[in-house]
Amino acid sequence: MAERSTAAVDGSAADRSDAADTTNTADTADSEEPTGAASTPAADPPAAETPAADPPAAEAAAAEAAAPERRPRGGVPAVDVHSGHKLAGRYRLEECVTRLDGFSSWRAVDEKLRRPVGVHILAAGHAHARSVLDAARAAALIGDPRFVQVLDAVEEDDVVYVVHEWLPDATELSTLLVGGTPMEPHEAYELVTQVSQALAAAHRKDLAHLRLTPSAVLRTGSGQWRIRGLSVHAALHGTEADDPQRTDTEAVGALLYAALTGRWPYEGDAYGLAGLPESVGLIAPDQVRAGVHRGLSELAMRALAAGSPGAAAHARPCTAPAELSTAAAELPRIRPPEPQYPQPAPYQQTTYQQGYAQRGGLPGGPAARATAAARPPAPPTLPGRTGKAVKWCVSVLLIVALALASWQLADALINHDGRNGDSGNSAAQPGGAGGSGGGRAAGGKPVEIESARDFDPFGTGSESPSSVSAAYDGDPRSYWQTKWYTSAVFGNLKEGVGLILDLGEATRVGSVKVSLIGDTDVTAMATPRDTASMPTDLTGFEEFDAAAGTNLTLKPTKPVVTQYVLLWLTEIPPSAEGNFRGKISDIEIRS
């Protein structure tokens, strides 16, 4: 049997690091802590959850083969499948991860696409079968890369199964915190930011997690955080909540608390973490461990105030993931730690150098004199006029080469200056003039920009608002910049960000000149002439040009009269900090 990848085990199997082995009977109590499943704080785990070590792979395989059919609480027999069994003639089961409450979770292989997948299997007559199918089909529609994607949800031959992504390179948060080791402040900030933004997007589509635990959150090799089991884990266990937003918000607060302190914020140990003492109650993370970032400590308490009596008296509780995401975005920037470079090994002489020195091979020594004596004589110089002629020819050739190089350099600089008045890239994008126009200067009268606002419809709604005015203040040394991302396409988290320019009233726009720092893909859009207020999403704008480069002049192909112009950044350059940022240093609009 193949080796288990604990980073990719489904959350229903690894909800707790001290869960019983995979052959436990279906009557075993739910092994997940109630923090992500209800709006009340977690209690001590029941006696049925006594920690037990996982058996070796061979013993697990033997136990799986010898295990009789088990009946869960609902009286529905568990589906009798085994390693090597195929579903739909496509998904070959490899390793059983868990059997619990009448369902089992497996690591499998999609033979059609030749990739590893995870599979939940339960009988069609199971009490939760219909809700599991509905939850899986709803979660599959969200299409957010921050969630582990549902790939298939099928009912056939009295069996219901759900297929999802398998992430062999990802690591569970519970594994990262093993031994009570806290995270760096920057890493904890990325955790709460990405998880809260993802859950806010899910709740906007009426989807909730309800079982968000350290084993349901994974960190990939690229540093991105991903959530598994959206809606599906709650359906498998029959979990419900009166207020799903408060439940998920409190769960994110518990994750942040654990990341900052290495302790679980409730009484009793859970997920391999020590709980808080009964006599102390819930206290702020910066009181549990010295050196905790105060802003993140305050944020964790605001999130836990959503359902914890110990923090309910907080003056500014966060009751929804969207509120928590906004609060995280308002924190001052937390810089990543400086990279630690290994010290170079001290220089050591090679064996040849040591032997050379021992034999007296120092400058002027006997060995040096012997070597000089053994050298062959230098070839004689060219005699008389022939030698002089060769020297003159070489000198003339060098002078001519230098003159040609200087002329080509001057010509390139002149041509470059002549093109700088327009686009930094003459290649046009479909739907506009593409920043074209050769060396012609932009005509028309200057149009005053009355105000501007940052535009982030696919994220938190805010993208560095404090420096927006620097983008059009006429000073090329100042600039507006986006937040940092892990790739040129915003870490695959959003389609783009931009600035909305308010011209005060409907005005004719003949050209928009944009100066950027680093090659950037920019699309220019405008609202219809009769637009009365600034739009809040992309549907209110119409594209009129697009280009890429550093100095762009964007022109509509037909007359445009508008009050609001959007500069939409779709691909941003790398920055000196080792990440990716878009930077606009100057904007000029002409009629």
Side-chain angles (χ1 to χ4, degrees), residues 194-221:
Q194 295 183 28
V195 172
S196 61
Q197 288 178 355
L199 289 175
H203 279 280
R204 284 196 294 269
K205 297 187 178 181
D206 296 328
L207 294 175
H209 197 289
L210 303 185
R211 295 185 71 86
L212 191 66
T213 65
S215 57
V217 180
L218 311 173
R219 187 181 66 183
T220 65

PDB file of all heavy atoms in Angstrom, residues 194-221:
ATOM      1  N   GLN A 194      -6.067  35.419   4.159  1.00  0.00           N
ATOM      2  CA  GLN A 194      -6.523  34.573   3.058  1.00  0.00           C
ATOM      3  C   GLN A 194      -7.734  33.732   3.446  1.00  0.00           C
ATOM      4  O   GLN A 194      -8.672  33.577   2.650  1.00  0.00           O
ATOM      5  CB  GLN A 194      -5.374  33.680   2.584  1.00  0.00           C
ATOM      6  CG  GLN A 194      -4.205  34.444   1.984  1.00  0.00           C
ATOM      7  CD  GLN A 194      -3.123  33.524   1.450  1.00  0.00           C
ATOM      8  OE1 GLN A 194      -3.390  32.404   1.041  1.00  0.00           O
ATOM      9  NE2 GLN A 194      -1.878  33.999   1.471  1.00  0.00           N
ATOM     10  N   VAL A 195      -7.750  33.187   4.667  1.00  0.00           N
ATOM     11  CA  VAL A 195      -8.877  32.345   5.077  1.00  0.00           C
ATOM     12  C   VAL A 195     -10.147  33.177   5.237  1.00  0.00           C
ATOM     13  O   VAL A 195     -11.230  32.775   4.789  1.00  0.00           O
ATOM     14  CB  VAL A 195      -8.526  31.600   6.372  1.00  0.00           C
ATOM     15  CG1 VAL A 195      -9.747  30.880   6.921  1.00  0.00           C
ATOM     16  CG2 VAL A 195      -7.417  30.599   6.120  1.00  0.00           C
ATOM     17  N   SER A 196     -10.048  34.361   5.857  1.00  0.00           N
ATOM     18  CA  SER A 196     -11.248  35.187   6.034  1.00  0.00           C
ATOM     19  C   SER A 196     -11.773  35.701   4.696  1.00  0.00           C
ATOM     20  O   SER A 196     -12.995  35.759   4.481  1.00  0.00           O
ATOM     21  CB  SER A 196     -10.939  36.361   6.971  1.00  0.00           C
ATOM     22  OG  SER A 196      -9.923  37.197   6.439  1.00  0.00           O
ATOM     23  N   GLN A 197     -10.890  36.069   3.772  1.00  0.00           N
ATOM     24  CA  GLN A 197     -11.339  36.512   2.455  1.00  0.00           C
ATOM     25  C   GLN A 197     -12.038  35.378   1.707  1.00  0.00           C
ATOM     26  O   GLN A 197     -13.067  35.590   1.051  1.00  0.00           O
ATOM     27  CB  GLN A 197     -10.153  37.017   1.638  1.00  0.00           C
ATOM     28  CG  GLN A 197      -9.600  38.357   2.100  1.00  0.00           C
ATOM     29  CD  GLN A 197      -8.396  38.792   1.280  1.00  0.00           C
ATOM     30  OE1 GLN A 197      -7.918  38.066   0.423  1.00  0.00           O
ATOM     31  NE2 GLN A 197      -7.888  39.991   1.566  1.00  0.00           N
ATOM     32  N   ALA A 198     -11.493  34.168   1.800  1.00  0.00           N
ATOM     33  CA  ALA A 198     -12.113  33.032   1.125  1.00  0.00           C
ATOM     34  C   ALA A 198     -13.493  32.736   1.695  1.00  0.00           C
ATOM     35  O   ALA A 198     -14.464  32.512   0.955  1.00  0.00           O
ATOM     36  CB  ALA A 198     -11.210  31.805   1.245  1.00  0.00           C
ATOM     37  N   LEU A 199     -13.621  32.734   3.025  1.00  0.00           N
ATOM     38  CA  LEU A 199     -14.924  32.453   3.633  1.00  0.00           C
ATOM     39  C   LEU A 199     -15.923  33.569   3.352  1.00  0.00           C
ATOM     40  O   LEU A 199     -17.124  33.306   3.194  1.00  0.00           O
ATOM     41  CB  LEU A 199     -14.758  32.251   5.140  1.00  0.00           C
ATOM     42  CG  LEU A 199     -14.051  30.958   5.540  1.00  0.00           C
ATOM     43  CD1 LEU A 199     -13.822  30.927   7.044  1.00  0.00           C
ATOM     44  CD2 LEU A 199     -14.861  29.750   5.117  1.00  0.00           C
ATOM     45  N   ALA A 200     -15.441  34.819   3.286  1.00  0.00           N
ATOM     46  CA  ALA A 200     -16.348  35.917   2.938  1.00  0.00           C
ATOM     47  C   ALA A 200     -16.910  35.718   1.532  1.00  0.00           C
ATOM     48  O   ALA A 200     -18.105  35.931   1.288  1.00  0.00           O
ATOM     49  CB  ALA A 200     -15.607  37.253   3.034  1.00  0.00           C
ATOM     50  N   ALA A 201     -16.057  35.282   0.591  1.00  0.00           N
ATOM     51  CA  ALA A 201     -16.534  35.009  -0.764  1.00  0.00           C
ATOM     52  C   ALA A 201     -17.538  33.859  -0.771  1.00  0.00           C
ATOM     53  O   ALA A 201     -18.523  33.880  -1.517  1.00  0.00           O
ATOM     54  CB  ALA A 201     -15.350  34.692  -1.668  1.00  0.00           C
ATOM     55  N   ALA A 202     -17.294  32.824   0.056  1.00  0.00           N
ATOM     56  CA  ALA A 202     -18.221  31.696   0.114  1.00  0.00           C
ATOM     57  C   ALA A 202     -19.562  32.110   0.704  1.00  0.00           C
ATOM     58  O   ALA A 202     -20.628  31.718   0.196  1.00  0.00           O
ATOM     59  CB  ALA A 202     -17.602  30.565   0.944  1.00  0.00           C
ATOM     60  N   HIS A 203     -19.547  32.928   1.763  1.00  0.00           N
ATOM     61  CA  HIS A 203     -20.807  33.348   2.386  1.00  0.00           C
ATOM     62  C   HIS A 203     -21.609  34.267   1.470  1.00  0.00           C
ATOM     63  O   HIS A 203     -22.836  34.315   1.567  1.00  0.00           O
ATOM     64  CB  HIS A 203     -20.524  34.034   3.728  1.00  0.00           C
ATOM     65  CG  HIS A 203     -20.286  33.065   4.843  1.00  0.00           C
ATOM     66  ND1 HIS A 203     -21.303  32.419   5.506  1.00  0.00           N
ATOM     67  CD2 HIS A 203     -19.131  32.599   5.387  1.00  0.00           C
ATOM     68  CE1 HIS A 203     -20.806  31.626   6.439  1.00  0.00           C
ATOM     69  NE2 HIS A 203     -19.468  31.715   6.388  1.00  0.00           N
ATOM     70  N   ARG A 204     -20.918  34.994   0.585  1.00  0.00           N
ATOM     71  CA  ARG A 204     -21.672  35.802  -0.382  1.00  0.00           C
ATOM     72  C   ARG A 204     -22.483  34.919  -1.328  1.00  0.00           C
ATOM     73  O   ARG A 204     -23.457  35.387  -1.929  1.00  0.00           O
ATOM     74  CB  ARG A 204     -20.708  36.686  -1.173  1.00  0.00           C
ATOM     75  CG  ARG A 204     -20.206  37.886  -0.400  1.00  0.00           C
ATOM     76  CD  ARG A 204     -19.575  38.920  -1.318  1.00  0.00           C
ATOM     77  NE  ARG A 204     -18.357  38.453  -1.942  1.00  0.00           N
ATOM     78  CZ  ARG A 204     -17.150  38.623  -1.426  1.00  0.00           C
ATOM     79  NH1 ARG A 204     -17.007  39.249  -0.264  1.00  0.00           N
ATOM     80  NH2 ARG A 204     -16.073  38.182  -2.056  1.00  0.00           N
ATOM     81  N   LYS A 205     -22.103  33.658  -1.454  1.00  0.00           N
ATOM     82  CA  LYS A 205     -22.850  32.710  -2.278  1.00  0.00           C
ATOM     83  C   LYS A 205     -23.638  31.723  -1.411  1.00  0.00           C
ATOM     84  O   LYS A 205     -23.986  30.629  -1.849  1.00  0.00           O
ATOM     85  CB  LYS A 205     -21.898  31.958  -3.204  1.00  0.00           C
ATOM     86  CG  LYS A 205     -21.196  32.885  -4.196  1.00  0.00           C
ATOM     87  CD  LYS A 205     -20.382  32.111  -5.217  1.00  0.00           C
ATOM     88  CE  LYS A 205     -19.741  33.058  -6.225  1.00  0.00           C
ATOM     89  NZ  LYS A 205     -18.962  32.341  -7.263  1.00  0.00           N
ATOM     90  N   ASP A 206     -23.901  32.121  -0.158  1.00  0.00           N
ATOM     91  CA  ASP A 206     -24.717  31.329   0.771  1.00  0.00           C
ATOM     92  C   ASP A 206     -24.108  29.964   1.056  1.00  0.00           C
ATOM     93  O   ASP A 206     -24.822  28.963   1.211  1.00  0.00           O
ATOM     94  CB  ASP A 206     -26.146  31.168   0.229  1.00  0.00           C
ATOM     95  CG  ASP A 206     -26.877  32.492   0.132  1.00  0.00           C
ATOM     96  OD1 ASP A 206     -26.597  33.375   0.969  1.00  0.00           O
ATOM     97  OD2 ASP A 206     -27.706  32.654  -0.771  1.00  0.00           O
ATOM     98  N   LEU A 207     -22.778  29.884   1.119  1.00  0.00           N
ATOM     99  CA  LEU A 207     -22.087  28.653   1.486  1.00  0.00           C
ATOM    100  C   LEU A 207     -21.312  28.897   2.775  1.00  0.00           C
ATOM    101  O   LEU A 207     -20.720  29.953   2.971  1.00  0.00           O
ATOM    102  CB  LEU A 207     -21.125  28.219   0.380  1.00  0.00           C
ATOM    103  CG  LEU A 207     -21.758  27.787  -0.947  1.00  0.00           C
ATOM    104  CD1 LEU A 207     -20.670  27.504  -1.972  1.00  0.00           C
ATOM    105  CD2 LEU A 207     -22.628  26.559  -0.765  1.00  0.00           C
ATOM    106  N   ALA A 208     -21.322  27.895   3.662  1.00  0.00           N
ATOM    107  CA  ALA A 208     -20.603  27.991   4.927  1.00  0.00           C
ATOM    108  C   ALA A 208     -19.800  26.726   5.138  1.00  0.00           C
ATOM    109  O   ALA A 208     -20.075  25.674   4.540  1.00  0.00           O
ATOM    110  CB  ALA A 208     -21.581  28.199   6.087  1.00  0.00           C
ATOM    111  N   HIS A 209     -18.787  26.803   5.993  1.00  0.00           N
ATOM    112  CA  HIS A 209     -17.961  25.629   6.279  1.00  0.00           C
ATOM    113  C   HIS A 209     -18.479  24.880   7.495  1.00  0.00           C
ATOM    114  O   HIS A 209     -18.763  23.697   7.433  1.00  0.00           O
ATOM    115  CB  HIS A 209     -16.499  26.051   6.498  1.00  0.00           C
ATOM    116  CG  HIS A 209     -15.545  24.912   6.400  1.00  0.00           C
ATOM    117  ND1 HIS A 209     -15.453  23.920   7.353  1.00  0.00           N
ATOM    118  CD2 HIS A 209     -14.633  24.592   5.441  1.00  0.00           C
ATOM    119  CE1 HIS A 209     -14.533  23.045   6.999  1.00  0.00           C
ATOM    120  NE2 HIS A 209     -14.010  23.430   5.835  1.00  0.00           N
ATOM    121  N   LEU A 210     -18.567  25.549   8.631  1.00  0.00           N
ATOM    122  CA  LEU A 210     -19.114  25.049   9.895  1.00  0.00           C
ATOM    123  C   LEU A 210     -18.225  24.035  10.595  1.00  0.00           C
ATOM    124  O   LEU A 210     -18.503  23.671  11.732  1.00  0.00           O
ATOM    125  CB  LEU A 210     -20.520  24.438   9.694  1.00  0.00           C
ATOM    126  CG  LEU A 210     -21.577  25.351   9.071  1.00  0.00           C
ATOM    127  CD1 LEU A 210     -22.910  24.644   9.049  1.00  0.00           C
ATOM    128  CD2 LEU A 210     -21.672  26.670   9.815  1.00  0.00           C
ATOM    129  N   ARG A 211     -17.176  23.550   9.956  1.00  0.00           N
ATOM    130  CA  ARG A 211     -16.243  22.617  10.620  1.00  0.00           C
ATOM    131  C   ARG A 211     -14.796  23.023  10.301  1.00  0.00           C
ATOM    132  O   ARG A 211     -13.965  22.201   9.911  1.00  0.00           O
ATOM    133  CB  ARG A 211     -16.502  21.181  10.168  1.00  0.00           C
ATOM    134  CG  ARG A 211     -17.852  20.643  10.583  1.00  0.00           C
ATOM    135  CD  ARG A 211     -18.008  19.175  10.218  1.00  0.00           C
ATOM    136  NE  ARG A 211     -17.185  18.317  11.049  1.00  0.00           N
ATOM    137  CZ  ARG A 211     -17.546  17.836  12.241  1.00  0.00           C
ATOM    138  NH1 ARG A 211     -18.733  18.145  12.744  1.00  0.00           N
ATOM    139  NH2 ARG A 211     -16.742  17.054  12.917  1.00  0.00           N
ATOM    140  N   LEU A 212     -14.500  24.288  10.453  1.00  0.00           N
ATOM    141  CA  LEU A 212     -13.175  24.826  10.138  1.00  0.00           C
ATOM    142  C   LEU A 212     -12.242  24.563  11.314  1.00  0.00           C
ATOM    143  O   LEU A 212     -12.377  25.173  12.373  1.00  0.00           O
ATOM    144  CB  LEU A 212     -13.267  26.320   9.841  1.00  0.00           C
ATOM    145  CG  LEU A 212     -12.018  26.961   9.240  1.00  0.00           C
ATOM    146  CD1 LEU A 212     -11.766  26.407   7.843  1.00  0.00           C
ATOM    147  CD2 LEU A 212     -12.164  28.459   9.183  1.00  0.00           C
ATOM    148  N   THR A 213     -11.289  23.660  11.130  1.00  0.00           N
ATOM    149  CA  THR A 213     -10.352  23.261  12.176  1.00  0.00           C
ATOM    150  C   THR A 213      -8.936  23.354  11.624  1.00  0.00           C
ATOM    151  O   THR A 213      -8.739  23.534  10.421  1.00  0.00           O
ATOM    152  CB  THR A 213     -10.639  21.815  12.624  1.00  0.00           C
ATOM    153  OG1 THR A 213     -10.373  20.943  11.521  1.00  0.00           O
ATOM    154  CG2 THR A 213     -12.090  21.653  13.064  1.00  0.00           C
ATOM    155  N   PRO A 214      -7.908  23.203  12.473  1.00  0.00           N
ATOM    156  CA  PRO A 214      -6.530  23.237  11.959  1.00  0.00           C
ATOM    157  C   PRO A 214      -6.232  22.183  10.907  1.00  0.00           C
ATOM    158  O   PRO A 214      -5.334  22.363  10.094  1.00  0.00           O
ATOM    159  CB  PRO A 214      -5.687  23.018  13.227  1.00  0.00           C
ATOM    160  CG  PRO A 214      -6.531  23.544  14.337  1.00  0.00           C
ATOM    161  CD  PRO A 214      -7.943  23.210  13.952  1.00  0.00           C
ATOM    162  N   SER A 215      -6.986  21.076  10.894  1.00  0.00           N
ATOM    163  CA  SER A 215      -6.740  20.055   9.873  1.00  0.00           C
ATOM    164  C   SER A 215      -7.501  20.325   8.588  1.00  0.00           C
ATOM    165  O   SER A 215      -7.296  19.649   7.585  1.00  0.00           O
ATOM    166  CB  SER A 215      -7.131  18.676  10.409  1.00  0.00           C
ATOM    167  OG  SER A 215      -8.479  18.675  10.823  1.00  0.00           O
ATOM    168  N   ALA A 216      -8.374  21.329   8.572  1.00  0.00           N
ATOM    169  CA  ALA A 216      -9.116  21.684   7.360  1.00  0.00           C
ATOM    170  C   ALA A 216      -8.458  22.826   6.597  1.00  0.00           C
ATOM    171  O   ALA A 216      -8.959  23.231   5.557  1.00  0.00           O
ATOM    172  CB  ALA A 216     -10.558  22.070   7.710  1.00  0.00           C
ATOM    173  N   VAL A 217      -7.343  23.351   7.108  1.00  0.00           N
ATOM    174  CA  VAL A 217      -6.634  24.462   6.471  1.00  0.00           C
ATOM    175  C   VAL A 217      -5.242  23.973   6.081  1.00  0.00           C
ATOM    176  O   VAL A 217      -4.514  23.429   6.912  1.00  0.00           O
ATOM    177  CB  VAL A 217      -6.539  25.678   7.411  1.00  0.00           C
ATOM    178  CG1 VAL A 217      -5.794  26.810   6.738  1.00  0.00           C
ATOM    179  CG2 VAL A 217      -7.922  26.136   7.828  1.00  0.00           C
ATOM    180  N   LEU A 218      -4.874  24.154   4.817  1.00  0.00           N
ATOM    181  CA  LEU A 218      -3.613  23.637   4.287  1.00  0.00           C
ATOM    182  C   LEU A 218      -2.759  24.771   3.740  1.00  0.00           C
ATOM    183  O   LEU A 218      -3.290  25.728   3.180  1.00  0.00           O
ATOM    184  CB  LEU A 218      -3.875  22.637   3.154  1.00  0.00           C
ATOM    185  CG  LEU A 218      -4.897  21.525   3.410  1.00  0.00           C
ATOM    186  CD1 LEU A 218      -5.154  20.756   2.134  1.00  0.00           C
ATOM    187  CD2 LEU A 218      -4.400  20.590   4.492  1.00  0.00           C
ATOM    188  N   ARG A 219      -1.439  24.636   3.883  1.00  0.00           N
ATOM    189  CA  ARG A 219      -0.513  25.577   3.264  1.00  0.00           C
ATOM    190  C   ARG A 219       0.242  24.845   2.165  1.00  0.00           C
ATOM    191  O   ARG A 219       0.889  23.831   2.404  1.00  0.00           O
ATOM    192  CB  ARG A 219       0.479  26.140   4.281  1.00  0.00           C
ATOM    193  CG  ARG A 219       1.357  27.251   3.686  1.00  0.00           C
ATOM    194  CD  ARG A 219       2.343  27.784   4.687  1.00  0.00           C
ATOM    195  NE  ARG A 219       3.324  26.786   5.061  1.00  0.00           N
ATOM    196  CZ  ARG A 219       4.279  26.976   5.966  1.00  0.00           C
ATOM    197  NH1 ARG A 219       4.353  28.125   6.604  1.00  0.00           N
ATOM    198  NH2 ARG A 219       5.130  26.018   6.268  1.00  0.00           N
ATOM    199  N   THR A 220       0.141  25.379   0.935  1.00  0.00           N
ATOM    200  CA  THR A 220       0.796  24.744  -0.197  1.00  0.00           C
ATOM    201  C   THR A 220       2.275  25.098  -0.218  1.00  0.00           C
ATOM    202  O   THR A 220       2.752  25.939   0.554  1.00  0.00           O
ATOM    203  CB  THR A 220       0.139  25.184  -1.508  1.00  0.00           C
ATOM    204  OG1 THR A 220       0.347  26.603  -1.685  1.00  0.00           O
ATOM    205  CG2 THR A 220      -1.357  24.900  -1.491  1.00  0.00           C
ATOM    206  N   GLY A 221       3.006  24.452  -1.132  1.00  0.00           N
ATOM    207  CA  GLY A 221       4.431  24.723  -1.243  1.00  0.00           C
ATOM    208  C   GLY A 221       4.745  26.146  -1.648  1.00  0.00           C
ATOM    209  O   GLY A 221       5.814  26.667  -1.348  1.00  0.00           O
TER     210      GLY A 221
END
